[in-house]
């Protein structure tokens, strides 16, 4: 049988290459950090990691992980409810709940799994789930796994509207319209990313929570690109938007700002967490988090609870980069998030620009369709607290040079 599948895959792979969307993986031969070396020996400054706070190889995080490795071993060879729960796991669940201001928290192997496990137990076929059209793939998949009736609102459109695209004939609805249509459901849940990773947009949680209250809906936020640094104390989008206590469910990852290893969680009201422990399939049927990751994440949270220094530095670095790139003449999507989309629109130009920047020692990636809409190609820069002022300025300089060479800047 394999011959037929092999031919099919070979054709599909060739088509992906011809389309220019084939993903090559660059191999790094150092720990993750501001300055990295690729396996061909080239040193580059990394501007495409989710290492927002520079914790991926931070001494305190590594030492927290090492202490857990020494004290609690390498692995547990079990799921949580059989014999995979250590004191450390309980400690981390408590620490995350405290950090995020929720009643309780349940760990998953990843945020992908958290999103895969959170909807299905809570929402049955009589319920309604209302999701933003640009939500992360893991929310989309999690929603697919639950039987609730689905509504999708057009990203950024919270209104009581319905529009038909004259070209495609497709209709798009605002959030309030969806909520009205879902009024007869037993439960309604609004699900959104806190920060949208392609644009760095921060969800308008204040308006979303107002609508949730008006139409009696629950609010679920995936804060993977916010936990640890968004908001004055880095607690996330809810803190930034001033909606503490009004979000029912927060999912997030430990694989980005919080040390970047892996793992995720659902932080939520007490009964929700208690029920997920009984019913969430990725929790019940997948291994417990490795002790070293638990120890590392605990150390990361401890650092961020003690001081806001790292998130403050990230904010200053972000402001500097955004201001200097704008002054240099680039088209930057406005905002405050360390995800800084440098808009180039043309797909080939975006990739050529990223290649040129790599030659200049700046590691960034061009994003094009289908990751972003056609004609909206860009380079997504991600700023880190680990970047020095010199590295930020050198990156702007390299962008300006490459921009002139490729005709982006006059
Ligand atoms: C990165 C990301 C995830 C996946 O997190 P993992 O822990 O790596 O599985 C989920 N949701 C959003 C919004 C993300 O950005």
């Amino acid at each position: 049988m394999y011959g037929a599948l092999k031919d099919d895959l070979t054709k599909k792979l060739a088509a992906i290459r011809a389309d220019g969307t084939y993903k090559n993986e660059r191999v790094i031969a150092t720990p993750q950090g501001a300055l990295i070396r690729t396996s061909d020996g080239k040193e580059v400054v990394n501007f495409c990691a989710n290492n927002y706070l520079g914790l991926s190889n931070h001494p305190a995080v590594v030492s927290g992980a090492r202490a857990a490795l020494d004290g609690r071993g390498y692995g547990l060879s079990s799921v949580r409810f059989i014999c995979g729960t250590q004191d450390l796991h309980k400690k981390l669940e408590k620490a995350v709940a405290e950090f995020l201001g929720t009643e309780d928290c349940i760990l998953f192997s990843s945020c992908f799994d958290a999103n895969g496990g959170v909807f299905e137990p809570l929402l049955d076929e009589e319920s309604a789930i209302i999701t933003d059209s640009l939500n992360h793939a893991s929310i989309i998949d999690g929603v697919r796994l639950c039987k609730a009736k689905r509504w999708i609102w057009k990203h950024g459109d919270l209104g009581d509207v319905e529009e038909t695209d004259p070209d495609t004939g497709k209709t798009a609805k605002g959030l309030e319209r969806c909520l009205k249509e879902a009024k007869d459901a037993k439960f309604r849940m609004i699900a959104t990313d806190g920060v949208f990773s392609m644009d760095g947009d921060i969800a308008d949680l204040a308006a979303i929570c107002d609508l949730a209250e008006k139409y009696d809906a629950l609010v679920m936020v995936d804060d993977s690109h916010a936990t640890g640094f968004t908001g004055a104390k880095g607690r996330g989008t809810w803190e930034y938007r001033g909606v503490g206590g009004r979000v029912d469910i927060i999912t997030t990852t430990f694989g980005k700002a919080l040390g970047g290893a892996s793992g995720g969680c659902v932080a939520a009201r007490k009964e929700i967490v208690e029920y997920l422990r009984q019913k969430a399939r990725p929790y019940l049927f997948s291994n417990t988090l490795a002790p070293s990751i638990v120890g590392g994440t605990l150390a990361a949270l401890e650092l961020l609870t003690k001081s806001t220094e790292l998130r403050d530095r990230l904010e200053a670095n972000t402001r500097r980069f955004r201001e200097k790139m704008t002054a240099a003449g680039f088209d930057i999507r406005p905002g405050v998030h360390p995800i800084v989309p440098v808009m180039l629109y043309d797909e080939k130009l975006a990739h050529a620009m990223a290649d040129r920047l790599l030659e200049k020692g700046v590691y960034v990636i061009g994003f094009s369709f289908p990751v972003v809409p056609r004609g909206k190609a860009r380079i997504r820069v991600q700023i880190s607290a680990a970047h020095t002022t010199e590295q930020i300025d050198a990156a702007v300089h390299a962008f300006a040079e490459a921009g002139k060479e490729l005709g982006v800047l006059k």
Side-chain angles (χ1 to χ4, degrees):
M1 184 74 241
Y2 181 56
L5 177 61
K6 181 179 170 172
D7 291 347
D8 186 56
L9 295 179
T10 307
K11 265 192 222 121
K12 284 176 177 160
L13 285 165
I16 297 173
R17 283 200 182 84
D19 195 38
T21 54
Y22 192 88
K23 293 171 204 65
N24 285 301
E25 298 176 1
R26 200 160 268 124
V27 178
I28 297 172
T30 57
Q32 186 63 276
L35 194 65
I36 55 173
R37 187 162 32 77
T38 49
S39 56
D40 55 11
K42 197 172 163 56
E43 279 215 328
V44 292
V45 183
N46 192 357
F47 282 93
C48 54
N50 298 312
N51 184 20
Y52 293 112
L53 297 170
L55 296 181
S56 305
N57 192 34
H58 189 286
V61 175
V62 173
S63 119
R66 187 171 292 131
L69 190 60
D70 290 342
R72 295 292 179 277
Y74 174 68
L76 279 167
S77 308
S78 173
V79 297
R80 289 287 300 276
F81 80 93
I82 298 181
C83 53
T85 301
Q86 289 173 325
D87 47 359
L88 279 185
H89 295 80
K90 297 312 284 180
K91 196 172 164 193
L92 179 59
E93 286 175 337
K94 190 157 177 282
V96 172
E98 247 168 58
F99 192 79
L100 297 180
T102 59
E103 287 176 1
D104 203 351
C105 169
I106 169 174
L107 303 178
F108 286 82
S109 305
S110 66
C111 187
F112 205 108
D113 273 350
N115 288 335
V118 69
F119 300 110
E120 189 261 343
L122 304 176
L123 303 172
D124 61 10
E125 56 276 1
E126 290 167 41
S127 306
I129 174 95
I130 306 156
T131 88
D132 184 292
S133 60
L134 291 189
N135 275 346
H136 189 264
S138 55
I139 299 182
I140 295 171
D141 285 8
V143 167
R144 280 186 186 143
L145 291 171
C146 86
K147 297 205 173 67
K149 211 158 166 254
R150 266 176 247 169
W151 275 264
I152 297 172
W153 87 84
K154 186 178 159 203
H155 176 66
D157 188 346
L158 303 185
D160 180 10
V161 289
E162 177 167 345
E163 289 163 6
T164 306
D165 185 317
D167 296 332
T168 62
K170 279 193 186 157
T171 59
K173 290 172 184 173
L175 173 59
E176 185 160 11
R177 174 62 57 94
C178 297
L179 283 163
K180 276 187 178 169
E181 290 181 5
K183 70 176 186 336
D184 295 327
K186 181 169 69 177
F187 306 121
R188 277 161 296 285
M189 187 187 289
I190 301 172
T192 183
D193 283 27
V195 171
F196 291 84
S197 63
M198 286 303 130
D199 294 326
D201 293 0
I202 303 179
D204 187 354
L205 288 188
I208 289 173
C209 288
D210 286 349
L211 283 172
E213 271 153 37
K214 183 168 171 192
Y215 291 96
D216 198 20
L218 296 149
V219 177
M220 175 272 181
V221 176
D222 175 345
D223 235 4
S224 290
H225 281 285
T227 299
F229 57 94
T230 301
K233 289 185 176 167
R235 305 306 163 98
T237 308
W238 62 266
E239 186 193 18
Y240 180 79
R241 293 296 190 197
V243 295
R246 298 174 73 196
V247 171
D248 300 283
I249 299 172
I250 299 168
T251 63
T252 195
T253 184
F254 310 144
K256 292 187 170 107
L258 300 185
S262 64
C265 67
V266 176
R269 300 187 192 282
K270 176 161 111 332
E271 297 77 9
I272 292 177
V273 169
E274 190 177 353
Y275 194 66
L276 291 178
R277 268 190 223 287
Q278 304 304 313
K279 296 288 182 184
R281 293 167 68 85
Y283 180 81
L284 292 173
F285 299 109
S286 186
N287 205 23
T288 189
L289 220 54
S292 56
I293 292 177
V294 177
T297 309
L298 272 166
L301 285 174
E302 199 177 316
L303 270 179
L304 304 182
T305 306
K306 260 198 300 216
S307 151
T308 60
E309 187 195 334
L310 289 174
R311 57 91 43 220
D312 295 345
R313 197 181 308 156
L314 173 61
E315 188 172 272
N317 280 351
T318 300
R319 197 179 310 119
R320 185 177 187 94
F321 183 77
R322 282 179 171 274
E323 282 171 7
K324 293 206 159 200
M325 285 291 283
T326 305
F330 283 100
D331 180 0
I332 302 292
R333 258 190 83 93
V336 297
H337 196 272
I339 290 172
V340 186
V342 181
M343 300 306 297
L344 296 162
Y345 303 100
D346 182 81
E347 339 268 21
K348 287 211 172 71
L349 179 62
H351 295 291
M353 184 91 172
D355 289 344
R356 192 61 64 96
L357 283 159
L358 189 68
E359 288 166 18
K360 296 177 189 295
V362 175
Y363 186 10
V364 287
I365 297 285
F367 285 82
S368 54
F369 184 80
V371 180
V372 296
R374 271 191 210 285
K376 292 276 173 72
R378 68 197 63 185
I379 287 175
R380 182 181 71 172
V381 175
Q382 288 175 284
I383 303 296
S384 170
H387 291 135
T388 63
T389 308
E390 292 73 29
Q391 286 169 334
I392 300 269
D393 292 354
V396 175
H397 184 72
F399 260 98
E401 273 185 6
K404 281 180 195 134
E405 287 160 18
L406 295 174
V408 179
L409 296 183
K410 297 287 165 315

